[in-house]
């Protein structure tokens, strides 16, 4: 498209038009001195330092001060892996961190994390060598043969690792009934230090008990042989509520640290007081009155039954806000909750404000936060979105602000 002077003038005029309609910004129009990166209307993610601290203290109380291996995988459950680790590291209850991607482990070390880092994800020989060089512990479930010997000789230190035993989840982990050759091989190598042994529950409450029995029996066979298995761990957030007998030597939660109940039924127990440490916010970019019969959204997903005010917010499924939000989720603006209507498109959603003009351009819209009725679990319940998707699917490019 050719840029005419006319088009330039129109574009230039549009910005003050928005600014003048934003309370607090009207009249504050200053010449721009530094180039903008993000629009101040764009969505952002807030990470609540104090709530994280509170949740860790709660978990520690629940597990009688056992060490906590904080799962910070998938970009720190949406909060930014380095942000979360940086906030958690000073807490004495936190033993270390678990990630799935090698690059997350490296970025934690680059950000200055000194506590142990367990890599739950896959690696090749070169990856392992690079990980050991940076004191990152691999989770192992296949025979490594002489690889640790070579790496230990090169690094002049043993390869510390955790063994993963599959007791019924069927994904990674050596099957418990075939674990002996692997465990004995690792234990026999001077180049290896078994720092931990772990399993993952299926979170089927009855079968979990059988899984724990399999794990305990398997471990005790090796321990009777004199093999040191390091810290034994199994409990994710689910087990913090369901299986105190599975706390073992260390617990391994993710979601609970971030203050979110992984199952809605846990909210109605007094087992843990969790406070969400994550919020998603943006500012309203447009508010207008639809006339009775006017439509909104692709495919005219919404038809106004009466004259009604609606507001558009620049948050869509590309930002991580689920499409299903249009089927019952609410957004809080100026203290009131408004239903998401029509459809969630890639970069926008629309809320129904009602017969009065109660929302203006620039008002802050909260998608979820720590307040009752706008917690992530409320959104999840209202539109059948998993709380894990709500946080982990947040676009990593959104700005994160620690508050
Ligand atoms: C192996 C493993 N342990 C622990 C966790 C933490 O789970 P949660 O966030 O439910 O506490 C996860 C997360 O999925 C995991 O994959």
């Amino acid at each position: 498209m050719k840029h005419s002077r006319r088009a330039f003038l129109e574009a230039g005029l549009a910005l003050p038009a928005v600014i003048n309609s934003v309370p607090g910004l009207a009249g504050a129009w200053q010449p721009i001195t530094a180039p903008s990166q993000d629009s101040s209307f764009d969505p952002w993610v807030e990470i609540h330092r104090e709530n994280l601290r509170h949740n860790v203290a709660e978990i520690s109380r629940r597990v009688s001060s056992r060490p906590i291996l904080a799962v910070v995988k998938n970009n720190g459950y949406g909060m930014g892996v380095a942000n979360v680790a940086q906030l958690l590291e000073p807490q004495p209850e936190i033993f270390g961190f678990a990630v799935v991607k090698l690059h997350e482990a490296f970025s934690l070390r680059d950000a200055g994390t000194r506590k142990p880092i367990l890599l739950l994800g896959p690696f090749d020989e070169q990856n392992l060598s690079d990980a050991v060089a940076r004191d990152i512990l691999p989770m192992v479930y296949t025979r490594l043969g002489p690889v640790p010997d070579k790496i230990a000789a090169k690094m002049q230190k043993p390869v510390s690792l955790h063994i993963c035993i599959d007791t019924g989840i069927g994904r990674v982990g050596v099957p418990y009934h075939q674990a002996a050759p692997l465990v004995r091989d690792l234990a026999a190598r001077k180049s290896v230090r078994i720092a931990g042994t772990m399993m993952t529950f299926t979170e089927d409450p009855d079968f979990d008990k059988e899984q724990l029995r399999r794990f305990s029996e398997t471990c005790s066979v090796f321990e009777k042989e004199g093999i040191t298995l390091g810290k034994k761990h199994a409990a994710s957030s689910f087990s913090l509520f369901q299986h105190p007998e599975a706390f073992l030597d260390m617990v391994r939660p993710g979601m609970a640290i971030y203050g979110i109940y992984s199952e809605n039924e846990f909210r109605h127990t007094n087992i843990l007081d969790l406070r969400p440490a994550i919020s998603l916010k943006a500012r309203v970019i447009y508010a207008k009155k639809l006339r009775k019969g006017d439509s909104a959204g692709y495919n005219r997903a919404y038809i106004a039954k009466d004259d009604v005010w609606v507001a558009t917010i620049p948050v869509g499924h590309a930002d991580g806000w689920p499409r299903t939000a249009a089927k019952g989720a609410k957004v809080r603006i100026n203290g009131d909750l408004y239903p998401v209507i029509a459809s969630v498109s890639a970069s926008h959603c629309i809320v129904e404000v009602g017969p009065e003009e109660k929302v203006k351009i620039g008002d802050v819209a909260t998608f979820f936060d720590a307040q009752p009725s706008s917690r992530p679990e409320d959104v999840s319940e209202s539109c059948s979105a998993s709380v894990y998707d709500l946080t982990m699917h947040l676009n990593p490019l959104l700005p994160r602000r620690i508050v």
Side-chain angles (χ1 to χ4, degrees):
M1 196 184 90
K2 225 174 135 195
H3 284 277
S4 66
R5 178 171 160 74
R6 176 94 205 129
F8 173 76
L9 281 176
E10 277 166 1
L13 285 170
L15 187 57
V18 170
I19 283 177
N20 283 330
S21 61
V22 177
L25 285 183
W29 173 235
Q30 299 287 333
I32 293 170
T33 48
S36 298
Q37 288 191 347
D38 297 308
S39 161
S40 62
F41 289 81
D42 283 347
W44 70 92
V45 176
E46 285 178 3
I47 302 131
H48 301 262
R49 183 193 299 270
E50 178 49 31
N51 286 2
L52 270 184
R53 197 205 52 73
H54 165 87
N55 299 327
V56 169
E58 269 294 281
I59 295 167
S60 182
R61 180 190 55 76
R62 169 73 174 151
V63 303
S64 312
S65 303
R66 285 175 176 81
I68 300 171
L69 182 64
V71 180
V72 296
K73 65 179 189 173
N74 300 338
N75 200 28
Y77 282 55
M79 278 162 273
V81 66
N83 291 333
V84 170
Q86 178 209 326
L87 293 173
L88 293 175
E89 172 127 25
Q91 292 203 232
E93 303 94 329
I94 298 292
F95 170 81
F97 302 98
V99 296
V100 169
K101 297 286 194 283
L102 188 59
H103 70 81
E104 289 186 321
F106 289 151
S107 64
L108 289 188
R109 285 282 178 253
D110 291 343
T113 304
R114 303 175 77 98
K115 287 188 171 174
I117 299 174
L118 176 63
L119 174 66
L120 303 172
F123 52 85
D124 63 23
E125 188 173 333
Q126 183 61 50
N127 301 151
L128 182 59
S129 177
D130 295 338
V132 173
R134 305 203 67 185
D135 287 328
I136 294 159
L137 290 81
M139 180 183 85
V140 171
Y141 43 90
T142 55
R143 300 282 283 271
L144 300 177
V147 170
D149 308 338
K150 283 196 270 174
I151 293 176
K154 194 166 89 187
M155 304 285 166
Q156 294 290 295
K157 62 178 176 184
V159 174
S160 282
L161 51 79
H162 288 221
I163 300 174
C164 178
I165 296 181
D166 175 16
T167 56
I169 194 155
R171 47 180 202 190
V172 292
V174 59
Y176 70 101
H177 49 89
Q178 294 168 6
L182 172 78
V183 175
R184 288 181 187 135
D185 175 79
L186 291 169
R189 289 180 193 274
K190 285 202 173 58
S191 60
V192 168
R193 191 177 77 88
I194 302 173
T197 302
M198 58 186 284
M199 58 152 280
T200 299
F201 288 112
T202 58
E203 303 185 359
D204 169 320
D206 291 329
F207 185 61
D208 283 355
K209 294 192 177 76
E210 169 60 13
Q211 283 188 271
L212 185 61
R213 196 193 59 74
R214 292 173 180 179
F215 186 67
S216 304
E217 264 183 21
T218 308
C219 290
S220 73
V221 168
F222 301 129
E223 284 168 337
K224 278 186 195 134
E225 292 175 18
I227 294 176
T228 304
L229 294 176
K231 284 191 162 48
K232 285 176 274 179
H233 53 105
S236 64
S237 301
F238 185 89
S239 303
L240 294 181
F241 292 89
Q242 292 283 38
H243 305 303
E245 68 283 9
F247 294 166
L248 308 178
D249 300 325
M250 177 160 77
V251 292
R252 203 179 64 228
M255 208 43 118
I257 293 178
Y258 310 117
I260 300 171
Y261 293 95
S262 52
E263 302 283 326
N264 251 317
E265 70 203 66
F266 298 156
R267 290 177 77 178
H268 313 296
T269 67
N270 292 325
I271 297 171
L272 280 171
D273 170 37
L274 299 180
R275 302 183 185 163
I278 180 168
S279 308
L280 174 64
K281 299 183 179 176
R283 296 198 303 142
V284 171
I285 53 172
Y286 202 33
K288 67 180 141 198
K289 191 176 192 176
L290 298 182
R291 297 158 307 169
K292 180 177 177 179
D294 281 349
S295 55
Y298 289 114
N299 301 119
R300 307 191 77 206
Y302 172 89
I303 305 285
K305 292 198 185 80
D306 286 298
D307 290 1
V308 66
W309 281 87
V310 295
T312 303
I313 314 166
V315 175
H317 60 79
D319 300 299
W321 182 233
R323 289 172 186 267
T324 57
K327 299 200 165 28
K330 292 187 170 146
V331 173
R332 190 158 41 73
I333 309 172
N334 303 330
D336 290 318
L337 289 168
Y338 297 111
V340 180
I341 55 163
S343 48
V344 173
S345 53
S347 308
H348 298 101
C349 66
I350 308 169
V351 296
E352 185 186 65
V353 175
E356 285 161 42
E357 183 186 4
K358 285 173 131 185
V359 166
K360 295 218 165 10
I361 293 177
D363 286 348
V364 172
T366 300
F367 289 77
F368 50 80
D369 65 1
Q371 291 198 36
S373 68
S374 56
R375 292 176 59 116
E377 302 93 329
D378 296 311
V379 175
S380 136
E381 209 170 12
S382 65
C383 66
S384 309
S386 146
V387 278
Y388 288 83
D389 295 358
L390 274 186
T391 67
M392 290 184 188
H393 291 185
L394 288 172
N395 188 324
L397 297 177
L398 297 181
R400 266 72 178 165
R401 299 181 190 163
I402 297 171
V403 295

